[in-house]
Amino acid sequence: MIKLSKRLQQIADLVSAQARIADIGSDHALLPVYLLQSGKCPSAIAGELNTGPFQAAKKQVAEAGLTKKIEVRQGDGLAVLAPGEADTVTIAGMGGSLMADILEAGRQAGKLVGVRELVLQPNVGEEIVRKWLVQHGYVLQDEMILEEDGRIYEVLHALHEQYSPSAITNEGVYQASFLEIPAMTEAAKQEWLYRMGPYLLRRPSDWLHNKWQHEHGKLERICRQLGQSDLAESREKEAQLRGEMKGIEEVLTCLRTAKPSSS
């Protein structure tokens, strides 16, 4: 059986057993091959837009002897999928804005009909994906954060509200009162839940702290550069970024009351 990276293994672990999976942007089809070899999934569709990765995926599936159970299709996003063909869609390794665009185009084309589960790993812009899920009836069940090869990744697991346990609702997931920051409004706290992750904030980890301390440092460097400009637009941008930095500081300070874990 093939061995997955930590990132792909985390995605595989979140896929529901016996789900028919569609892996969009499948690259070398490593995830579908693993899910079939491990017996977790009965069938899969591996979608890839670019010819090189598409051919690599076909070769991987053939070498694994799984051509009857994994269909490798070339196409843009969810265009490779017919309504009702998959229970679970996985998308990984791209920006959150592009991921949300792929999901929205698929939704409008009816490609998400019958899709109960989404397992998503955006490289950046996670808040865009979280907001898309809420807007379109998917409820975040959990999210994971991990480090691999010097990069920090977040993996989101969502079920359509029809299949989400009654105790888990979007209203409850994004209820922000647990963040005890008196100077911050409830609306502002909720925005930080979208940005930093509602589950990740409820169980703060070293990786979460490291990610946002790095982001704070990046904003500080940008502010120093803006400070060298006399333009009014630069002053406005610097003030905006300083506000973001203050928000990060307040949330991280709040989280320090909880013991960090490494998961």
Side-chain angles (χ1 to χ4, degrees):
M1 189 162 64
I2 64 169
K3 183 174 175 60
L4 298 179
S5 66
K6 282 170 61 176
R7 178 179 64 92
L8 287 180
Q9 186 64 57
Q10 182 65 80
I11 295 167
D13 290 347
L14 290 171
V15 171
S16 293
Q18 299 309 304
R20 298 169 302 157
I21 182 178
D23 185 37
I24 305 303
S26 194
D27 197 12
H28 286 61
L30 294 173
L31 181 63
V33 167
Y34 172 85
L35 289 168
L36 270 291
Q37 286 181 336
S38 66
K40 191 169 192 180
C41 294
S43 65
I45 295 163
E48 181 55 57
L49 174 62
N50 298 311
T51 300
F54 167 70
Q55 295 295 345
K58 288 185 70 174
K59 182 181 178 188
Q60 182 80 255
V61 169
E63 289 178 350
L66 290 169
T67 52
K68 292 183 179 179
K69 294 185 176 181
I70 300 176
E71 288 191 51
V72 182
R73 301 177 183 174
Q74 188 170 16
D76 190 1
L78 290 164
V80 301
L81 191 62
E85 275 193 310
D87 307 306
T88 298
V89 167
T90 58
I91 312 177
M94 63 184 71
S97 181
L98 175 57
M99 190 174 288
D101 287 346
I102 287 172
L103 289 167
E104 181 59 17
R107 185 191 70 83
Q108 291 186 16
K111 305 293 187 174
L112 290 177
V113 171
V115 174
R116 303 179 179 194
E117 178 178 57
L118 299 172
V119 184
L120 309 169
Q121 183 268 299
N123 285 343
V124 294
E126 294 88 355
E127 72 275 10
I128 299 170
V129 178
R130 291 186 181 101
K131 288 181 178 180
W132 186 92
L133 292 171
V134 170
Q135 290 163 3
H136 298 292
Y138 283 89
V139 182
L140 201 60
Q141 305 295 305
D142 205 351
E143 49 194 1
M144 305 295 174
I145 188 166
L146 64 137
E147 184 274 335
E148 185 171 47
D149 297 330
R151 292 193 63 178
I152 295 176
Y153 299 99
E154 295 179 20
V155 183
L156 315 182
H157 177 223
L159 293 177
H160 194 274
E161 57 192 359
Q162 291 176 269
Y163 306 100
S164 180
S166 59
I168 306 177
T169 64
N170 277 321
E171 183 179 14
V173 169
Y174 290 97
Q175 210 284 335
S177 61
F178 71 95
L179 286 178
E180 297 181 4
I181 309 173
M184 189 179 285
T185 66
E186 289 302 305
K189 286 191 228 178
Q190 191 173 71
E191 277 302 309
W192 283 108
L193 261 63
Y194 280 112
R195 287 192 68 182
M196 289 180 155
Y199 290 97
L200 300 180
L201 285 173
R202 284 179 170 90
R203 43 171 206 266
S205 68
D206 293 337
W207 292 328
L208 184 70
H209 280 268
N210 292 344
K211 174 175 179 171
W212 287 97
Q213 284 167 349
H214 176 77
E215 181 66 20
H216 186 279
K218 188 163 65 175
L219 293 176
E220 177 63 50
R221 289 191 294 275
I222 295 171
C223 284
R224 284 202 298 267
Q225 292 171 349
L226 290 170
Q228 297 172 9
S229 169
D230 295 328
L231 295 175
E233 294 89 339
S234 297
R235 298 282 72 73
E236 292 172 10
K237 183 65 175 177
E238 182 180 0
Q240 176 199 329
L241 296 183
R242 293 282 179 197
E244 286 189 40
M245 290 167 63
K246 185 171 185 286
I248 293 171
E249 291 163 9
E250 289 174 334
V251 174
L252 292 183
T253 298
C254 174
L255 297 185
R256 287 191 188 100
T257 60
K259 183 180 177 182
S261 68
S262 58
S263 63

